[in-house]
Amino acid sequence: MLDKQEKIFKALSDKNRIRIVKMLQKKSLCVCEIKDVLKLATSTVSKHLSILREAGLIVDWKDGKWINYKINPAPDSLVANALLYTQLQIEDDETIKNDRKLINCVDRNILCCN
Amino acid sequence: MLDKQEKIFKALSDKNRIRIVKMLQKKSLCVCEIKDVLKLATSTVSKHLSILREAGLIVDWKDGKWINYKINPAPDSLVANALLYTQLQIEDDETIKNDRKLINCVDRNILCCN
DNA sequence: TTGTCATTTCGTTAAATATAGAAATGATAT
DNA sequence: ATATCATTTCTATATTTAACGAAATGACAA
């Protein structure tokens, strides 16, 4: 239980991962859309997503060519409260607000050309 | 703001530091008392405490020979909510419960002999 | 003022982490 | 079947982190 709590905090202890969670709390996204906002290599974004997934914060599902990520819709209580905390905090942070503007403009059909 | 949130999560992303916060949420303690519970070197405990202090989660004050640590009594909203979250979670974890038993038995006058 | 003692800071080491690029995967579309 | 393409896994590297012991600090007591 302590281990699980540590894992949750560790997952959220990186600026880019906080940004990802705050984005997903507004909208489901695929890897290349997140990559476009964070300006990181695809493999790095994928790694961040796997850390968030392993902590139980997010889930993914296939949709044609793409793998979408969203906030875990059925979290246990530890995760649920961590997500609630994250959702309520830093809502008016400039980076977060800008990220949220960007995700409304991204088009995966244009972005995703490896 | 995002940086501050990251710092708070980083501070809480270590098992020993979570244990420290959960202990301090029951009782103010000095370094050697925490050291006795965690079974770490004094310098290591001191370092953990400084990370928690820098994140705004705890404060310290002098009391004769000792330096006491306690939960920040006047936290800003980010920290206050993080502390509330931490206070409510893993209350029935075995390690946490055992730590709390131990802090009621420690006697700094016996423990602290470098 | 000198010694004692709790704590912090410093220096070092080992382990963990963030990052990127290249190769592997796996599903879709032609 | 084969090519395409988003994503993951692998490999490598640079940075950060946790840990310890030794030395420095700073306050209290003798």
Side-chain angles (χ1 to χ4, degrees), chain A residues 46 66 69 112 114:
Chain A
S46 179
W66 289 282
Y69 283 87
C112 302
N114 278 346

Side-chain angles (χ1 to χ4, degrees), chain A residues 7-19:
Chain A
K7 204 167 181 177
I8 291 169
F9 280 133
K10 262 198 208 311
L12 292 167
S13 72
D14 178 275
K15 217 179 297 186
N16 289 318
R17 289 197 291 270
I18 296 175
R19 290 171 70 185

Side-chain angles (χ1 to χ4, degrees), chain B residues 43-54:
Chain B
S43 61
T44 307
V45 173
S46 179
K47 178 68 177 161
H48 281 314
L49 288 165
S50 83
I51 291 168
L52 291 169
R53 179 162 32 74
E54 300 255 307

Side-chain angles (χ1 to χ4, degrees), chain B residues 27-46:
Chain B
K27 192 171 178 244
S28 295
L29 296 163
C30 69
V31 178
C32 67
E33 291 170 326
I34 295 168
K35 166 205 156 89
D36 189 62
V37 173
L38 298 184
K39 309 292 183 204
L40 292 171
T42 311
S43 61
T44 307
V45 173
S46 179

Side-chain angles (χ1 to χ4, degrees), chain B residues 41-88:
Chain B
T42 311
S43 61
T44 307
V45 173
S46 179
K47 178 68 177 161
H48 281 314
L49 288 165
S50 83
I51 291 168
L52 291 169
R53 179 162 32 74
E54 300 255 307
L57 294 161
I58 64 175
V59 296
D60 61 286
W61 79 99
K62 262 253 160 189
D63 173 25
K65 275 201 297 191
W66 289 282
I67 296 171
N68 284 309
Y69 283 88
K70 67 175 173 189
I71 296 298
N72 184 353
D76 64 30
S77 126
L78 273 192
V79 169
N81 288 329
L83 284 169
L84 183 59
Y85 171 80
T86 307
Q87 186 162 29
L88 298 175

Side-chain angles (χ1 to χ4, degrees), chain A residues 2 13 53 64 67 98 101:
Chain A
L2 180 52
S13 72
R53 179 161 32 74
I67 296 172
N98 192 50
K101 254 181 241 162

